């Protein structure tokens, strides 16, 4: 089972993706953390990724696709995984293999996302970077939601609930759709 989690910044998609991956006992792939880890490396790739993250931009599509492909071609990902926050745009979607089974869209209001982001403390969560990421999300990522809806694999979850309630809704929706 290959599952994607999408949602705007602060939606809780990482928390929910990790929770479902643990529940299903499949690997979790958190692209945001992978990019942040690579940004800490003292090399050209790390510097490119760091500059993108610090400025609120997406990691270059070519780099993002290459990194993901290196990961999912490893043996432990062959039977399935839960992918967090990827793809972020049409180019990344094209670079992703097409056998995705489910896409969870954690839907929250932008105000709630910003409120939640203000509670966490990451160095790249500056006001300017967050505004830029939200702008990119609306322009580049939101259109993917319709793509997955048209394919019949999108499951929308109300993210404006407690973490526990969102998790319960995700698990319930997974169970209902895994049987189809």
């Amino acid at each position: 089972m290959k599952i994607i989690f999408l949602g705007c910044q602060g939606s809780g998609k990482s928390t929910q993706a990790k929770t479902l991956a643990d529940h299903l006992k499949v690997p979790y792939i958190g692209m945001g953390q992978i990019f942040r880890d690579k940004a800490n490396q003292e090399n050209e790739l790390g510097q490119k990724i760091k500059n993108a993250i610090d400025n609120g931009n997406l990691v270059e599509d070519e780099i993002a696709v290459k990194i993901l492909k290196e990961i999912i071609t490893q043996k432990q990902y062959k039977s399935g995984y839960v992918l967090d926050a990827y793809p972020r745009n049409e180019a990344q979607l094209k670079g992703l293999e097409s056998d995705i089974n489910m896409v969870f869209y954690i839907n929250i209001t932008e105000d709630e996302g910003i409120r939640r982001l203000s509670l966490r403390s990451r160095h790249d969560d500056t006001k300017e970077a967050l505004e830029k990421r939200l702008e990119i999300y609306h322009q580049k990522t939101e259109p993917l939601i319709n793509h997955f809806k048209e394919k019949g694999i999108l499951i929308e979850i109300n993210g404006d609930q407690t973490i526990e309630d969102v998790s319960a809704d995700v698990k319930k929706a997974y169970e209902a759709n895994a049987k189809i």
Side-chain angles (χ1 to χ4, degrees):
M1 184 67 66
K2 296 175 182 172
I3 300 168
I4 294 174
F5 273 79
L6 295 177
C8 77
Q9 288 74 10
S11 65
K13 61 189 169 295
S14 297
T15 299
Q16 298 305 326
K18 289 175 193 170
T19 300
L20 185 62
D22 288 346
H23 175 71
L24 299 176
K25 297 181 179 26
V26 297
Y28 163 79
I29 304 171
M31 292 302 288
Q33 187 60 51
I34 289 167
F35 292 149
R36 285 188 293 279
D37 291 345
K38 290 197 177 289
N40 290 327
Q41 296 175 358
E42 302 281 332
N43 56 36
E44 185 181 343
L45 176 64
Q47 192 59 49
K48 279 184 177 182
I49 293 172
K50 182 178 180 354
N51 288 339
I53 290 171
D54 288 349
N55 290 309
N57 293 314
L58 296 178
V59 172
E60 291 176 32
D61 296 330
E62 187 176 301
I63 293 170
V65 169
K66 182 176 188 248
I67 289 171
L68 180 66
K69 284 189 176 187
E70 287 172 0
I71 293 168
I72 63 176
T73 56
Q74 296 173 28
K75 185 175 65 174
Q76 68 265 34
Y77 299 101
K78 289 293 183 194
S79 61
Y81 50 80
V82 175
L83 180 56
D84 170 22
Y86 189 98
R88 293 282 177 111
N89 60 34
E90 191 74 32
Q92 291 178 8
L93 174 63
K94 289 178 182 168
L96 183 65
E97 58 187 74
S98 61
D99 60 344
I100 299 300
N101 304 97
M102 265 179 230
V103 177
F104 284 95
Y105 167 46
I106 308 298
N107 190 1
I108 63 167
T109 62
E110 191 170 299
D111 288 343
E112 177 62 11
I114 291 169
R115 185 192 72 74
R116 290 177 185 181
L117 292 172
S118 69
L119 299 175
R120 71 181 191 188
S121 54
R122 272 193 358 214
H123 83 282
D124 59 313
D125 279 348
T126 64
K127 183 179 187 298
E128 296 78 20
L130 290 174
E131 287 172 354
K132 178 98 181 235
R133 281 190 220 126
L134 284 168
E135 180 183 324
I136 291 170
Y137 171 79
H138 291 305
Q139 291 175 353
K140 307 277 186 181
T141 307
E142 275 184 346
L144 300 180
I145 293 164
N146 284 331
H147 168 81
F148 292 121
K149 188 181 286 187
E150 288 170 7
K151 286 187 77 175
I153 61 173
L154 184 81
I155 301 166
E156 187 169 339
I157 302 291
N158 175 4
D160 285 333
Q161 309 176 75
T162 66
I163 291 171
E164 297 77 17
D165 288 344
V166 173
S167 292
D169 284 356
V170 167
K171 287 176 186 169
K172 205 180 312 176
Y174 171 81
E175 297 299 331
N177 287 280
K179 295 174 183 161
I180 295 175

